[in-house]
Amino acid sequence: PPYEYHEGDKIVGIDMEIADAIASKLGVQIEIEDIAFDSVILEVTSGKADLGLAGITATEERKQSVDFSDSYTSSKQLIIVKDDSSIASGADLEGKTIGVQTGTTGDLMVGDIKDAKPERYAKGMDAVQALSQGKIDAVVIDSEVAKKFVEETSGLKVLDEAYAEENYAIAVQKGNKELLDAVNKALSELKADGTIDSIIAKYIKAE
């Protein structure tokens, strides 16, 4: 949450609504496949999926494998710690055991922290539970996801300082210019008429 999550047997969230809005602009039906985050790019490169929407940051490394649409929203990576933790900023993560969701930008960034030990989890919530149980020292994860988890888990807090800023975009198979151009045109229209803003506002309340 809030990008994609299960509500009963339905998959809902910001990315799902944006995908629906793009599909209706393009006059196509959408079929949602729920897979592990670290497999999304692979599904797109192999042609199993036409689009990858999963709160994906358009990093230089990922651009080697796929083409990205224009950005549809920005986010931050934040640090979650226990209420009584001595960790007060990113500088305090040196030498610590840090939980991340496999394949996310948080996962990639933690690898650059001196002497840090990344603990990788398939789901962000698993990392947060491990933190709650004292198995790890901190979690680095997307800001809106972080806030949601901290709301639902007592004894945890999000540090004020952002660990990193990033832009989310839609992954398309490399070289598929026709689809990329169509997606960008749809995104541009959806931004202009306020659809994207209203979708995001529905899931993310202003501070």
Side-chain angles (χ1 to χ4, degrees), residues 73-114:
T73 189
S74 58
S75 182
K76 299 179 174 86
Q77 289 290 315
L78 295 183
I79 301 164
I80 308 176
V81 293
K82 291 181 94 162
D83 283 341
D84 59 0
S85 173
S86 62
I87 297 169
S89 73
D92 300 329
L93 293 176
E94 278 190 19
K96 298 287 192 284
T97 304
I98 306 160
V100 291
Q101 186 179 359
T102 307
T104 58
T105 41
D107 183 357
L108 303 175
M109 289 168 185
V110 164
D112 295 333
I113 300 170
K114 190 171 177 244

Side-chain angles (χ1 to χ4, degrees), residues 126-148:
D126 296 343
V128 172
Q129 279 169 343
L131 174 63
S132 254
Q133 294 158 0
K135 294 177 181 172
I136 55 178
D137 301 309
V139 172
V140 173
I141 204 160
D142 164 271
S143 60
E144 295 310 323
V145 178
K147 289 173 198 165
K148 202 93 179 153

Side-chain angles (χ1 to χ4, degrees), residues 19 22-23 26 28-33 35 39-54 56 65-69 169-184:
I22 290 170
L26 302 184
V28 294
Q29 282 290 315
I30 202 142
E31 189 183 315
I32 293 168
E33 294 243 342
I35 59 168
S39 304
V40 174
I41 299 280
L42 205 59
E43 292 272 310
V44 174
T45 55
S46 69
K48 281 187 188 168
D50 299 295
L51 302 177
L53 263 99
I56 304 172
S65 310
V66 291
D67 289 332
F68 278 105
S69 71
I170 299 167
V172 175
Q173 195 171 35
K174 223 164 183 29
N176 190 345
K177 190 174 181 319
E178 192 183 344
L179 180 58
L180 188 64
D181 289 349
V183 166
N184 277 335

Side-chain angles (χ1 to χ4, degrees), residues 36 61 64 149 168:
E61 190 181 342
Q64 309 290 314
F149 287 153
Y168 287 172

